[in-house]
């Protein structure tokens, strides 16, 4: 690690973020080219499509989407639907 500003400190990611539990991802067969809500997966593309299933919306924002298979990291500050498996949704751990 390079030199950090004097008032910063180094912390492990697992001590800084909490994983949101209970988020249900959408199946690939339920993702369409048009719809109301963006579907975002762990791939490099910005989004994989859309869905109209409001019950799957992730609203606890902002958060970081981490792909445990791809190691792709995305900052999200708008409601979305999680696509596929292997997606970890991380929120700041306010106990730090």
């Amino acid at each position: 690690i390079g030199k950090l500003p004097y008032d910063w400190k180094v912390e492990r990611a697992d001590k800084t973020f909490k994983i949101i539990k209970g988020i249900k991802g959408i199946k690939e067969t339920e993702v369409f080219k048009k719809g109301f809500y963006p579907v975002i997966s762990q791939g490099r593309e910005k989004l994989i499509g859309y869905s109209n299933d409001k019950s799957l919306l992730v609203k606890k924002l902002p958060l970081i989407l981490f792909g445990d298979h791809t190691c792709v990291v995305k900052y999200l500050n708008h409601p979305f639907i999680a696509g596929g498996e292997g997606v970890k949704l991380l929120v700041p751990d306010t106990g730090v």
Side-chain angles (χ1 to χ4, degrees):
I1 295 178
K3 193 170 185 177
L4 297 174
Y6 76 94
D7 57 344
W8 286 24
K9 65 180 183 175
V10 176
E11 290 286 346
R12 291 173 37 120
D14 63 344
K15 303 291 182 194
T16 308
F17 296 101
K18 291 191 284 189
I19 296 174
I20 298 175
K21 303 285 186 187
I23 298 297
K24 183 180 174 191
I26 193 168
K27 295 178 185 175
E28 190 175 329
T29 57
E30 298 172 343
V31 178
F32 305 104
K33 290 184 179 185
K34 294 182 180 181
F36 291 118
Y37 311 111
V39 178
I40 301 176
S41 71
Q42 65 171 308
R44 297 202 183 282
E45 62 277 346
K46 184 174 180 179
L47 58 92
I48 61 171
Y50 297 89
S51 172
N52 293 332
D53 190 345
K54 190 174 184 174
S55 71
L56 297 177
L57 270 179
V58 176
K59 298 178 187 174
K60 186 172 181 136
L61 303 164
L63 59 76
I64 294 173
L65 182 147
F66 174 74
D68 66 357
H69 298 124
T70 62
C71 294
V72 170
V73 176
K74 298 177 183 178
Y75 173 78
L76 297 163
N77 61 358
H78 56 81
F80 69 98
I81 296 172
E85 294 183 24
V87 171
K88 303 293 185 220
L89 304 178
L90 310 171
V91 292
D93 185 346
T94 56
V96 172

